[in-house]
Amino acid sequence: MALVPVPRGPISDHVFAQLRDAIVSGGYRPDDALPSERDLAATFEVNRHAVREALRRLQQLGLVRVSQGGATRVLDWREHAGLDLILSLPGSGGALPVGTLGRDLLEMRACVGVDAARLCAERGTARARAAVRDAVDGYADLAPDLPGMAMANTTLWRRIVEGSGNTAYLLAFNSLVGAGAVPPQWRAAELLDVARHRRLAASIVAGQGRSAARLARELLTAPVADPATSRQVSRA
């Protein structure tokens, strides 16, 4: 993967994006040494500060190991990277060589959502359950405005995950939201299923964990339809 001079704009962002894509696409293999800061600055036609900032971000993602006075070595993203890598990828042109990434995100979304719904019902506080009840009302009132419902639905699930009391689930939820796990127009059937969302909220308010988990699974594993191609992706 050829590295090219950066265009106008945030300089370190362009350096970071090109190096990230070169690493995750296999242009640089694990344990390869990246060119020196001086050589990278010359290739990108930028100052060394921009290169250093880009390398710092790559290190934070778990893509490289920066050694003071030594070579910057590429790490295997499968062993060292976290969900933040996915958040950095929009606009990368599919650099990550994982053809099932969309499916994988949906499966993770379902796993987190189902168990969070159960936990929210079983150990959520009265205040947390009330927040879920209020959120489902706000979401339902927006039907059939799909974009508005999508935003309100995110708020509803945030209240459910918060109510679960699981901080790891909350951080994963934030990452999934940031990654845009699935466009709202692809999950129109899920978003427009107001009745099932109301039953989910009612189960949580009533403290019925098994029922809440079942309803969450039905919602989050429904087929996803791409309206541009009429293609359906099963998540069940």
Side-chain angles (χ1 to χ4, degrees):
M1 182 174 181
L3 304 178
V4 299
V6 301
R8 293 183 179 275
I11 296 174
S12 64
D13 287 355
H14 293 287
V15 176
F16 161 77
Q18 288 194 54
L19 290 174
R20 175 205 61 201
D21 293 355
I23 291 169
V24 301
S25 66
Y28 289 107
R29 309 294 296 174
D31 206 40
D32 280 353
L34 290 183
S36 67
E37 287 185 6
R38 177 179 299 175
D39 289 343
L40 287 172
T43 298
F44 288 117
E45 299 181 3
V46 300
N47 60 54
R48 291 178 66 174
H49 175 77
V51 171
R52 199 169 294 120
E53 173 62 19
L55 293 176
R56 182 189 64 79
R57 292 173 63 186
L58 291 171
Q59 182 170 239
Q60 287 178 336
L61 286 184
L63 297 181
V64 301
R65 178 180 293 112
V66 178
S67 300
Q68 296 297 327
T72 295
R73 296 282 177 181
V74 173
L75 299 175
D76 188 337
W77 62 265
R78 294 169 181 83
E79 294 183 15
H80 298 277
L83 286 175
D84 285 347
L85 175 60
I86 296 176
L87 291 178
S88 79
L89 288 172
S92 69
L96 193 69
V98 179
T100 60
L101 185 58
R103 180 207 65 187
D104 299 345
L105 286 169
L106 292 173
E107 289 176 351
M108 182 176 178
R109 171 177 173 260
C111 288
V112 171
V114 168
D115 202 45
R118 177 187 67 84
L119 291 173
C120 187
E122 292 177 351
R123 68 187 187 194
T125 64
R127 182 175 181 178
R129 296 181 192 181
V132 171
R133 181 195 60 220
D134 294 344
V136 80
D137 287 341
Y139 144 80
D141 288 346
L142 291 169
D145 174 12
L146 205 60
M149 293 179 77
M151 293 181 63
N153 188 262
T154 298
T155 299
L156 168 61
W157 280 103
R158 181 174 296 282
R159 299 296 170 257
I160 291 172
V161 177
E162 288 173 344
S164 76
N166 188 307
T167 302
Y169 283 173
L170 181 59
L171 296 177
F173 174 82
N174 290 340
S175 293
L176 289 168
V177 171
V182 55
Q185 64 270 22
W186 284 34
R187 57 189 182 105
E190 174 193 327
L191 289 173
L192 292 172
D193 194 348
V194 175
R196 203 181 307 267
H197 279 90
R198 284 198 178 280
R199 292 200 296 274
L200 169 61
S203 293
I204 289 173
V205 170
Q208 299 169 348
R210 293 181 62 182
S211 175
R214 176 180 58 79
L215 289 163
R217 182 175 296 106
E218 291 173 359
L219 284 167
L220 297 177
T221 60
V224 173
D226 177 354
T229 63
S230 296
R231 176 173 59 86
Q232 291 213 340
V233 180
S234 177
R235 298 179 290 166

